[in-house]
Amino acid sequence: MPDLHVVERFPHDIVDVEHVAVRVRDGVRLAARLWLPAMSGQTPVPAVLEVIPYRKRDGTRVRDEPMHRWFAGHGYAAVRVDVRGTGDSEGVLADEYTEQEQLDALDVLQWIAAQPWCNGRIGMIGKSWGGFGALQVAARRPPQLCAVIVVCASDDRYADDAHYMGGCLLNENLLWGSMLMALCAQPPDPELAGPAWRELWLARIAAIAPFPARWLRHPDRDDYWRHGSICEDFGAVRVPVWAISGWADGYSNAVLRLLAGLSCPRHGLIGPWAHVYPHEGVPGPAIGFLQEAVRFWDRWLRGIENGIEDAPRLRAWQQHSARPAPGWPDRAGRWIAEREWPSPSIVPRRFVFSKGGLVPAGGAEAERAFVHGSAQHTGAAAGAWCAFGIEGEHPDDQRADDARSSCFDSAPLAVELPLLGAPVVRLSVAVDRPAAFLCVRLCEVFPDGTSARVSFGLANLAHRASHAAAEAMPIGVPQPVEVRLNDLAHVFAAGNRIRLAISTAYWPMVWPSPEAATMTLSPAGCELLLPERPPRADDDLLPPFAEPSAGPAPPFTDLHEGGVRRHTAEDPGTGVLCLETELDFGPDGEPSLRRFYDIDLETGHGMRERFCIHPDDPLSACIDVWHRTISRRGTFCARVDLHTRLHADAGAFHFEADLVAHEGATEVARRQWREAVPRRLL
């Protein structure tokens, strides 16, 4: 967490309204918290709305209060709403990004605009779920919505979310789905919900869906994923958009797509950060995001001519060459900018495959084919699909994974090579199985052999023609495949090598194919295209960001530290390798607790994940996830335990889940799920 400058006094005094119930069209009451400029009682002001499921009362309280107090202190009514079925809102949460959720947001916008403290002009802000929702609501064009800020979110629910990547199944599908099940099982606060809290809690538990299994039933880009993907019609969004992400985040690709696809006023910002707001940005440097957000709101909600629309279309942190590390407090680099995107200053640098590795276009191409099959634990150094600023999430030294991959190296670079955009790899590949995937990693290799992953991409070969309809690979017949790697802004250092590493496994990030596959690469038609962005003098003239600042946090204490613990072990009898991660469990095996003094509440959420696989057997793959949540005050104590598991045979995925809820020492609910989902070329 970066050092934040905490601002205690603002231009406007603030009225904090802990809880308001907003009734939507079907009678359900959604829970809202308000931070109002005191003067809004006499002079109506614009409003800023955030709608997310992460529990305003406790889950995101420490994050919400400093941010929304900042907006209120600068003259905006800030409104934070729990999605129905979460936190203190009534109803049940049926799924991600439902039609009902969007209708609820429209009703909330209408309610805000009708309040005496609001002048009818509203912006929406959101990170992750809230960013998805803001874009989806903007596409509906409600008259009250005038601008949106989206952070760490996506325009395409299939291509860039926690479920599939390149048509491959991300194991994040289970991790996030388990988290959502645990979130839906938490009770409202009895102090706000009153005597009906228990009834609301049990109704939530009874309605929980096995989300990971539901998402497994949609392995192709069908109508399920097209719903809520605003890339289906970029023209539907007409209000100004500021899209933000970080290179360590799982959603950075969406920023450049939004800049290219939208026609409304839009700007993009990509820092070195994980899945966090930029004023809390790790790795650093964090920036004065809230100051920039107020400038954005001033322009589009108040009509102040502050020149923000004349800023470069994209501002990005171009990362300098760096050796692998479990976590960087700061990532070396510099800010660069582009007046438009796509940028005419980006030129493709082309390399072809040779028997000696990668050579510039025009060099001698290899004549023989390259044959390779990967051990199933290739990917052990991958790090997290999406980092959250926790130690150990970043990719480790890639040498062990490189040794299990087919690698192609360039000669040492004579001069540095600066890049911005998406590397593209074109291959001619044959496999010996109908279902297989490729992981393609772009690495920077230092003179001592250290290998740092710079970007990567995945390709389910059954999706080589389209994500909408999978088609089995013909056995042994070369097929053209294009793999678009994650966008980047990176400078390869002079003296280092470029490495392209290709494997048929990437565990524990990606679920393995049902059979171990061997690939054959034919050199003809194989090439690497790097988006070279020559340095420009005007980059040094960019105005600096203000220091990261926020309002004061609520009074709280962490009763004991949880932190993260990671452990890897091999079973000597079976050869199965297991990676286990434990997050926010205390030394007594209970979740680490946080006490909020202003609401007299203690809460905790601990999680443990275990990934196991045998290097020679893709059907040995198994993931177990455990969650325990606790909420207590006085005689009130609610505890939920959830265990989920995913394994597979050649024909089906098998999802299992067990949930037990206790009120004090008394068990009040128990649920069990057992679902088999057919594998469809996955």
Side-chain angles (χ1 to χ4, degrees):
M1 184 78 173
D3 291 330
L4 277 173
H5 173 59
V6 177
V7 176
E8 301 283 351
R9 297 180 64 85
F10 294 100
H12 298 278
D13 293 334
I14 301 167
V15 177
D16 185 342
V17 182
E18 177 67 31
H19 178 71
V20 174
V22 180
R23 191 179 295 274
V24 295
R25 66 189 68 187
D26 64 354
V28 166
R29 293 178 297 178
L30 303 183
R33 188 179 179 193
L34 315 179
W35 294 263
L36 304 176
M39 56 79 175
S40 65
Q42 293 75 43
T43 305
V45 298
V48 175
L49 169 64
E50 182 180 28
V51 184
I52 51 177
Y54 304 123
R55 301 181 60 87
K56 66 174 178 58
R57 180 71 159 166
D58 48 50
T60 57
R61 189 179 190 88
V62 172
R63 189 217 68 182
D64 293 346
E65 193 156 320
M67 182 170 74
H68 290 299
R69 284 183 66 84
W70 186 279
F71 295 147
H74 286 85
Y76 293 90
V79 183
R80 163 71 172 86
V81 174
D82 284 335
V83 169
R84 75 161 59 203
T86 67
D88 298 302
S89 289
E90 296 176 347
V92 296
L93 189 151
D95 202 347
E96 299 177 310
Y97 318 123
T98 61
E99 178 88 3
Q100 182 64 63
E101 181 185 330
Q102 295 173 26
L103 295 176
D104 287 347
L106 297 179
D107 291 347
V108 171
L109 287 169
Q110 192 172 40
W111 176 86
I112 293 171
Q115 300 310 300
W117 38 261
C118 181
N119 67 6
R121 296 184 63 79
I122 305 170
M124 287 188 73
I125 189 170
K127 179 177 75 71
S128 197
W129 188 302
F132 278 75
L135 287 171
Q136 293 160 7
V137 172
R140 289 178 170 269
R141 303 179 196 166
Q144 307 88 355
L145 184 62
C146 301
V148 297
I149 298 177
V150 298
V151 182
C152 304
S154 181
D155 60 314
D156 191 328
R157 294 183 56 215
Y158 184 82
D160 272 310
D161 197 8
H163 311 292
Y164 297 93
M165 181 177 178
C168 301
L169 175 64
L170 292 170
N171 288 332
E172 193 71 22
N173 185 78
L174 177 69
L175 305 185
W176 161 234
S178 303
M179 176 71 78
L180 188 56
M181 292 177 73
L183 183 71
C184 290
Q186 296 180 53
D189 189 334
E191 192 171 83
L192 301 183
W197 77 269
R198 186 180 294 102
E199 180 183 350
L200 291 171
W201 182 29
L202 297 180
R204 286 181 183 181
I205 293 174
I208 292 172
F211 297 116
R214 173 177 294 172
W215 302 329
L216 277 171
R217 295 186 187 280
H218 297 275
D220 303 325
R221 196 176 190 280
D222 57 13
D223 287 342
Y224 178 84
W225 301 113
R226 285 191 282 269
H227 166 77
S229 293
I230 65 115
C231 63
E232 293 291 305
D233 181 11
F234 279 122
V237 178
R238 296 183 179 177
V239 298
V241 174
W242 189 22
I244 302 165
S245 188
W247 297 123
D249 180 42
Y251 297 92
S252 54
N253 297 329
V255 173
L256 299 187
R257 279 202 309 271
L258 286 165
L259 296 185
L262 293 172
S263 56
C264 57
R266 73 264 187 210
H267 289 87
L269 173 68
I270 309 176
W273 316 304
H275 197 71
V276 293
Y277 276 107
H279 61 293
E280 301 175 328
V282 287
I287 66 166
F289 163 70
L290 296 180
Q291 296 94 313
E292 295 295 323
V294 167
R295 288 188 66 231
F296 182 85
W297 300 135
D298 283 349
R299 175 66 186 92
W300 301 114
L301 301 186
R302 294 190 187 277
I304 297 173
E305 297 286 347
N306 56 17
I308 199 168
E309 66 268 39
D310 298 324
R313 182 65 47 82
L314 171 68
R315 194 161 174 177
W317 184 255
Q318 190 173 56
Q319 302 183 139
H320 291 169
S321 172
R323 292 176 177 273
W328 290 280
D330 292 287
R331 185 65 196 266
R334 68 168 185 159
W335 289 107
I336 60 175
E338 294 291 342
R339 300 299 307 178
E340 54 185 299
W341 192 266
S343 169
S345 66
I346 309 294
V347 293
R349 174 77 77 91
R350 182 170 173 259
F351 293 84
V352 297
F353 291 30
S354 78
K355 62 181 180 181
L358 292 174
V359 297
E365 297 186 11
E367 297 178 358
R368 65 178 179 83
F370 301 94
V371 181
H372 181 81
S374 303
Q376 296 302 311
H377 63 309
T378 305
W385 166 76
C386 178
F388 285 81
I390 300 169
E391 186 79 5
E393 292 177 312
H394 295 281
D396 204 347
D397 190 329
Q398 300 289 292
R399 277 181 282 192
D401 283 343
D402 291 350
R404 305 180 190 111
S405 306
S406 188
C407 294
F408 305 89
D409 290 4
S410 72
L413 296 171
V415 296
E416 68 179 22
L417 176 60
L419 307 177
L420 175 63
V424 174
V425 177
R426 294 178 180 141
L427 302 171
S428 176
V429 61
V431 290
D432 60 352
R433 297 290 184 269
F437 74 84
L438 299 182
C439 175
V440 181
R441 290 177 291 118
L442 179 67
C443 300
E444 181 170 8
V445 182
F446 293 78
D448 65 357
T450 301
S451 178
R453 197 189 74 194
V454 173
S455 183
F456 76 102
L458 299 170
N460 180 342
L461 297 179
H463 288 219
R464 63 197 178 278
S466 169
H467 289 308
E471 181 183 354
M473 279 286 283
I475 303 300
V477 180
Q479 300 289 305
V481 175
E482 181 171 294
V483 186
R484 184 183 178 93
L485 278 58
N486 285 333
D487 290 314
L488 53 75
H490 181 81
V491 179
F492 280 86
N496 290 352
R497 298 174 184 266
I498 300 167
R499 172 172 291 167
L500 199 66
I502 306 173
S503 62
T504 55
Y506 208 49
W507 179 268
M509 188 182 293
V510 181
W511 194 267
S513 302
E515 298 178 282
T518 297
M519 66 174 176
T520 301
L521 296 177
S522 302
C526 289
E527 61 181 359
L528 165 65
L529 300 174
L530 294 178
E532 184 176 4
R533 194 254 188 199
R536 295 205 302 265
D538 57 354
D539 291 329
D540 297 327
L541 303 178
L542 290 171
F545 289 107
E547 67 176 332
S549 303
F556 73 94
T557 297
D558 288 324
L559 300 183
H560 56 74
E561 292 294 328
V564 61
R565 287 179 287 276
R566 304 180 191 275
H567 178 68
T568 303
E570 178 181 354
D571 185 316
T574 64
V576 170
L577 299 169
C578 289
L579 168 65
E580 189 162 308
T581 301
E582 189 177 271
L583 182 65
D584 286 338
F585 273 105
D588 57 356
E590 291 295 318
S592 54
L593 292 174
R594 172 169 288 177
R595 177 171 181 79
F596 295 99
Y597 292 102
D598 52 347
I599 56 174
D600 187 29
L601 185 69
E602 294 179 0
T603 64
H605 187 167
M607 178 175 63
R608 191 165 79 252
E609 304 165 355
R610 186 172 65 205
F611 302 83
C612 296
I613 199 165
H614 191 284
D616 300 328
D617 182 9
L619 298 183
S620 66
C622 182
I623 309 175
D624 288 272
V625 182
W626 295 266
H627 287 267
R628 171 168 284 189
T629 64
I630 295 177
S631 183
R632 67 192 190 193
R633 176 197 297 112
T635 58
F636 160 67
C637 181
R639 188 181 83 241
V640 176
D641 289 288
L642 173 68
H643 174 212
T644 61
R645 171 176 248 247
L646 184 68
H647 58 101
D649 53 36
F653 293 101
H654 298 278
F655 171 77
E656 304 169 7
D658 295 276
L659 183 147
V660 182
H662 284 84
E663 183 183 349
T666 304
E667 181 181 312
V668 295
R670 179 180 290 266
R671 293 207 58 195
Q672 184 180 86
W673 296 265
R674 300 290 185 270
E675 296 210 12
V677 180
R679 299 183 75 156
R680 290 156 47 190
L681 297 173
L682 193 65

